[in-house]
Amino acid sequence: MCIRDRLTGLLGTVLDGLVFWGIMRPYHKLGVMEVQGANMTASFLNYAPVRLGTVFRIIFHATVDRIALIPIFGWFAAITVTTLACMASVVCATLITGGPGVWWLFLLGCMLLVSGILIWFIARLPVVEKHGRGIDRMFGDPRALIAGLAGRLMVLASGCLRMAIAAEILGIPLGVSEVILLSVAALMLSFNPLGRFGWREATVTMVTAQFAASSLGGENVQEIAAQLALIESAGEALVVVPLGIVTSIWATRRIARSRSKVNSTSSPEESGEDRRQVSDSEA
């Protein structure tokens, strides 16, 4: 594994943290480094057989930042909507134009603009604003939309670099459009509820063998596709796992400290109520 593969893995994870931070900002201002630490921990936990990272995010932000469950789920929904809009725009632009170029950039920009306006318009509907409880700001605030759409585009770009590096290591002559489509598949498959380790690699192998068979050669297509998927995923795992272990220790301490503060603030109130009850009974 080369250092470039690990750097693109780190870049993608950091950009992903900025997407989470930017979308939540109109509703609740969180520290950038705090969100980055929580995101790194969640990314690490997602390598478990089930998607523990999502459970961790809920526990962490509900305990440390005192964010209610409904806004947290709204946060996840905003992440999902902007991600789908971005990935759909990239795939459509690539399939229509055949790959990056002037028309690809123009079409992609138009699709992202239309997607952003459509999401903004729906979030600004009176019925949505009335019942949104402020969560609609994560969809309707221009800063949140830019963070979601442009941020995901940069995350995908880092994934494309990692996929291209993996293909270079194996000596596979993948075209630019193939790299983009395979990177989109890898990114979307990382959202599956069964965790990332194994499932993502197996599915990316299947997609690669299906859509990039001509570039892989006529023999051992499945084997070469599996190697490509493994190297692409390893570039991210070799960064996320060691850093995630460190940030998980930090996150555990933050959660424990926040819970101890809650207990310490509630104890005086409870003891005061007990004293009042005793004085009332004596009277």
Side-chain angles (χ1 to χ4, degrees), residues 170-247:
L170 293 173
I172 302 173
L174 286 180
V176 178
S177 60
E178 291 174 329
V179 169
I180 292 174
L181 295 176
L182 291 178
S183 299
V184 170
L187 179 61
M188 295 307 299
L189 290 168
S190 65
F191 285 89
N192 81 83
L194 299 176
R196 300 168 90 169
F197 186 72
W199 294 100
R200 173 182 171 184
E201 290 76 15
T203 314
V204 170
T205 298
M206 181 180 65
V207 174
T208 304
Q210 181 70 27
F211 294 101
S214 59
S215 299
L216 300 180
E219 299 180 357
N220 301 323
V221 172
Q222 199 72 20
E223 181 180 344
I224 297 174
Q227 293 175 1
L228 179 66
L230 185 60
I231 293 177
E232 185 275 334
S233 181
E236 186 177 37
L238 289 173
V239 173
V240 170
V241 171
L243 291 180
I245 292 174
V246 175
T247 56

Side-chain angles (χ1 to χ4, degrees), residues 22-23 25-27 29 140-148:
I23 288 181
R25 188 167 175 77
Y27 180 83
K29 289 181 173 58
D141 190 281
R143 295 168 299 175
L145 286 174
I146 292 173

Side-chain angles (χ1 to χ4, degrees), residues 2-282:
C2 64
I3 189 65
R4 292 180 301 163
D5 208 20
R6 301 184 187 185
L7 288 176
T8 54
L10 176 61
L11 177 62
T13 307
V14 171
L15 290 171
D16 186 53
L18 290 175
V19 171
F20 274 89
W21 173 78
I23 288 181
M24 173 56 81
R25 188 167 175 77
Y27 180 83
H28 190 103
K29 289 181 173 58
L30 301 174
V32 177
M33 296 308 297
E34 177 183 291
V35 176
Q36 289 289 357
N39 183 67
M40 186 66 71
T41 304
S43 299
F44 162 63
L45 292 175
N46 282 336
Y47 283 98
V50 292
R51 199 173 179 82
L52 294 178
T54 302
V55 178
F56 162 78
R57 289 184 195 273
I58 296 172
I59 295 174
F60 181 87
H61 292 293
T63 305
V64 176
D65 301 310
R66 303 289 189 271
I67 303 176
L69 289 179
I70 292 179
I72 291 177
F73 288 123
W75 189 16
F76 293 165
I79 293 286
T80 303
V81 168
T82 52
T83 299
L84 290 175
C86 180
M87 296 303 105
S89 299
V90 171
V91 170
C92 288
T94 302
L95 292 177
I96 292 173
T97 64
V102 175
W103 285 111
W104 182 83
L105 287 173
F106 175 76
L107 186 58
L108 176 61
C110 290
M111 288 184 172
L112 289 174
L113 180 61
V114 171
S115 299
I117 293 174
L118 182 61
I119 296 171
W120 175 85
F121 177 78
I122 294 174
R124 292 292 182 177
L125 291 175
V127 64
V128 176
E129 291 184 336
K130 180 179 179 181
H131 301 285
R133 301 180 183 179
I135 301 174
D136 52 283
R137 292 199 297 270
M138 288 187 269
F139 295 87
D141 190 281
R143 295 168 299 175
L145 286 174
I146 292 173
L149 295 173
R152 275 301 178 206
L153 190 61
M154 289 188 288
V155 171
L156 176 62
S158 69
C160 289
L161 286 174
R162 193 166 60 252
M163 185 69 72
I165 292 170
E168 180 185 337
I169 292 173
L170 293 173
I172 302 173
L174 286 180
V176 178
S177 60
E178 291 174 329
V179 169
I180 292 174
L181 295 176
L182 291 178
S183 299
V184 170
L187 179 61
M188 295 307 299
L189 290 168
S190 65
F191 285 89
N192 81 83
L194 299 176
R196 300 168 90 169
F197 186 72
W199 294 100
R200 173 182 171 184
E201 290 76 15
T203 314
V204 170
T205 298
M206 181 180 65
V207 174
T208 304
Q210 181 70 27
F211 294 101
S214 59
S215 299
L216 300 180
E219 299 180 357
N220 301 323
V221 172
Q222 199 72 20
E223 181 180 344
I224 297 174
Q227 293 175 1
L228 179 66
L230 185 60
I231 293 177
E232 185 275 334
S233 181
E236 186 177 37
L238 289 173
V239 173
V240 170
V241 171
L243 291 180
I245 292 174
V246 175
T247 56
S248 63
I249 297 172
W250 162 83
T252 302
R253 291 179 176 176
R254 284 296 308 273
I255 293 173
R257 188 158 58 245
S258 298
R259 286 179 174 174
S260 64
K261 287 182 179 179
V262 172
N263 294 333
S264 63
T265 54
S266 62
S267 295
E269 295 177 0
E270 293 175 356
S271 60
E273 290 178 359
D274 293 340
R275 285 195 297 270
R276 283 194 296 271
Q277 291 177 358
V278 170
S279 61
D280 292 340
S281 63
E282 290 178 350

